Amino acid sequence: MKGKPTIMRRSVPVAALAALTSAGLLLSGCSGKSSGSGSAEANAATKGIVNASDEKGGTLTYANSDAPESFDPGNTYYAYVWNFSRLYARALTTFKPGPGVKGNVLTPDLAESKGKSSDGNKTWTYKIRKGLKYDDGSVITSKDVKYAVERSNFARDVLSLGPNYFQTYLKDNEGGYKGPYKDKSPEGLKSIETPDDQTIVFHLNQPFAEFDYLVSSPQTAPVPRAKDKGADYTKNILSSGSYKFESYEEGKQVILVRNPHWSAATDPLRKQLPDKIVLKLKVAQSTIDKDLKAGNTHVDMAGRGVDAQTQAQLLTSSKEKANTDNALGQRLVYTAINTKVAPFDKLECRKAVQYAIDKKAVQTAQGGPVRGELASTVLPSDIPGFQKYDIYPQKYDGENLDLTEAKKHWQACGAGNVSTTITARSDRQDEVDAATSVVNSLKKIGINAKIQTYPSGKYFSDYAGVPEFTKRNNVGLMMMQWAADYPSGFGYLNQIVNGKAIQKSGNSNISELDDPKINALLNEAIATSDQAQREKDYAQIDKLTMEQSVIVPLTYFKILMYRSPKATNLVSTSAYSGEYDYLNIGVKK
């Protein structure tokens, strides 16, 4: 899942970075309880639910430094939107609120139970719960789930921002189905059957052992055909969750209120605690941080952590540090190398980039070790199947990176001095700072890269995720952060290394890697029911990808979040990139 206006700020001063590094080491050991914060202690939400409460009432306030690409559950790919969307959109399955890997426990949501597989994992059947209603009182049916999948996967010219798993793996994709906006037939997609209003059956073109994970995507949240307005559906979303939209001001604010037709009897997961949920959009990160500490904001929706200045303040105060959580979230920060833009279409040139980028300098630019450990693999260290190795080891002469290997491969590449463009998200200052560090590294071997920034809400729909744009604008390198779609090697790797995942817009395989061996091994892995074998396959895919040198792993990203003492039921879950689980957060009165 993909983790924003150009705001030029100075990088963290050297003295502050030194404080961050030492404070980060202290944080890893966990401080004691903070005074005045009840049960709070550093990293408490990575171990359990903090301020557990069933108290109802009040207004819960979120803030975001940008506006998400879309609130449409079928047209989004950011982890924090998937997390937030569960308040108003119920998928067939989801994850139980729980700390760390406990938050990876899959559970039925809209469905009564997990899927029943047959035909060697090629056919999956689900029964949705009885008595489910939308916020207008109309009944939710299995046909609405089928329609949601059709619109989100087979109308890519209208809704292109989410993943395309169903389009790839449903049986009659090859039959030329054009999606519900062009194909008006009542039958629709033949590979999804709805024999009655409670039953839905998926027929796949190959075995898919992890299909229960796949249907946890918000693309299976029901959408009634009669209410769908295509790209404009985001303006009038019909809720199947515990909250509904009261108002939506694009780029400004979202207000959710209780869904009067939601019933706890049909939903064992949600508690429906606050009276109202307010999401403020396009708020400067520094302002979000101040409002979190003041209690005016309860959750930073994007879940990317505080900015550098706030980080320095938090980690140098034992009292403030007690209200922080430093979590892994199955994420990797990396530089993607565009295989379709010269000279990076040559393997030797890409290998030179691997050796030339000073990863320690990038780590420092991002905020030090508290923001992530140095990486050498595509799979993050907290994904099942991870194996530690390094085929492009970096050597240092004191504090300086040894560029011998980088220069050797660049000479073999034969490109000489070149100019290229590197993209980054403008409202992610740490990403811009990391890109600046990459530029400084590459300059030393003859690569002159110019940074071009774009807002995160459009980064994949209009810029880095549009192959024609990157070719036309000589974009050879792209800053990227990726989190697992779901907690497995396939859920992490498929959308960024599978050639079948490349899209004209909303593309996540931004290196445009299309290697037949990797594609085939992904298909082979997902077909086997043996989890241990799948994990071995994922480790092999990781190494094959690194041999192609299309991704430069920088850090296994960690978040430093401020945990509001005024919020209840806060728990950091790796199922949503280490963010707090948004399902049942409440407000202390």
Side-chain angles (χ1 to χ4, degrees), residues 150-210:
E150 291 172 341
R151 70 188 289 272
S152 62
N153 275 256
F154 292 89
R156 307 302 290 187
D157 54 332
V158 180
L159 307 174
S160 65
L161 300 178
N164 63 346
Y165 287 110
F166 293 102
Q167 182 190 45
T168 302
Y169 294 103
L170 282 168
K171 188 174 182 179
D172 61 354
N173 177 26
E174 297 87 356
Y177 175 65
K178 300 298 183 182
Y181 305 129
K182 294 178 180 177
D183 185 335
K184 303 293 185 181
S185 65
E187 182 183 29
L189 190 63
K190 295 178 182 177
S191 56
I192 303 179
E193 295 179 330
T194 52
D196 57 57
D197 283 350
Q198 195 187 359
T199 306
I200 184 166
V201 184
F202 298 88
H203 297 280
L204 310 182
N205 56 24
Q206 68 164 73
F208 199 103
E210 297 174 358

Side-chain angles (χ1 to χ4, degrees), residues 270-289:
R270 293 164 181 79
K271 295 182 178 181
Q272 203 185 52
L273 298 179
D275 295 323
K276 182 183 292 187
I277 297 173
V278 175
L279 167 59
K280 300 176 181 179
L281 302 172
K282 296 194 174 182
V283 181
Q285 187 63 52
S286 59
T287 302
I288 294 175
D289 295 349

Side-chain angles (χ1 to χ4, degrees), residues 72 94 120 124 127 129 138 245 353 379 407 414 473 476 509 557 566 569 575:
D72 184 337
T94 191
W124 289 80
K127 291 274 190 179
R129 299 177 192 270
S138 58
F245 283 80
V353 172
L379 280 175
K407 291 178 178 178
N473 290 276
N509 182 352
F557 186 74
K566 295 190 177 182
N569 302 319

Side-chain angles (χ1 to χ4, degrees), residues 41-185:
E41 62 177 20
N43 289 329
T46 68
K47 303 171 184 177
I49 298 175
V50 177
N51 294 334
S53 174
D54 289 333
E55 184 177 13
K56 289 181 176 284
T59 298
L60 178 67
T61 302
Y62 289 76
N64 192 340
S65 62
D66 193 27
E69 51 196 359
S70 175
F71 287 98
D72 184 337
N75 195 36
T76 183
Y77 210 171
Y78 275 96
Y80 65 87
V81 185
W82 283 26
N83 191 356
F84 188 79
S85 72
R86 296 183 301 153
L87 293 166
Y88 56 84
R90 295 176 66 181
L92 287 173
T93 62
T94 191
F95 297 91
K96 290 182 179 179
V101 294
K102 292 181 180 179
N104 288 339
V105 177
L106 198 66
T107 189
D109 190 359
L110 198 76
E112 289 182 341
S113 66
K114 293 181 183 179
K116 308 296 183 185
S117 65
S118 57
D119 191 22
N121 289 333
K122 291 175 68 176
T123 300
W124 289 80
T125 301
Y126 297 83
K127 291 274 190 179
I128 67 171
R129 299 177 192 270
K130 296 178 180 178
L132 300 176
K133 294 182 179 180
Y134 293 107
D135 64 72
D136 67 353
S138 58
V139 176
I140 296 171
T141 73
S142 57
K143 292 179 176 61
D144 300 337
V145 178
K146 174 181 178 177
Y147 181 77
V149 173
E150 291 172 341
R151 70 188 289 272
S152 62
N153 275 256
F154 292 89
R156 307 302 290 187
D157 54 332
V158 180
L159 307 174
S160 65
L161 300 178
N164 63 346
Y165 287 110
F166 293 102
Q167 182 190 45
T168 302
Y169 294 103
L170 282 168
K171 188 174 182 179
D172 61 354
N173 177 26
E174 297 87 356
Y177 175 65
K178 300 298 183 182
Y181 305 129
K182 294 178 180 177
D183 185 335
K184 303 293 185 181
S185 65

Side-chain angles (χ1 to χ4, degrees), residues 286-331:
S286 59
T287 302
I288 294 175
D289 295 349
K290 289 175 184 176
D291 286 345
L292 281 169
K293 294 175 69 177
N296 299 321
T297 292
H298 302 103
V299 186
D300 178 357
M301 182 200 186
R304 298 189 59 259
V306 298
D307 72 7
Q309 286 73 21
T310 306
Q311 178 175 315
Q313 295 164 11
L314 294 176
L315 296 188
T316 53
S317 164
S318 59
K319 181 179 179 180
E320 295 281 20
K321 188 169 62 179
N323 288 321
T324 63
D325 293 297
N326 191 208
L328 286 167
Q330 301 177 339
R331 302 196 208 189

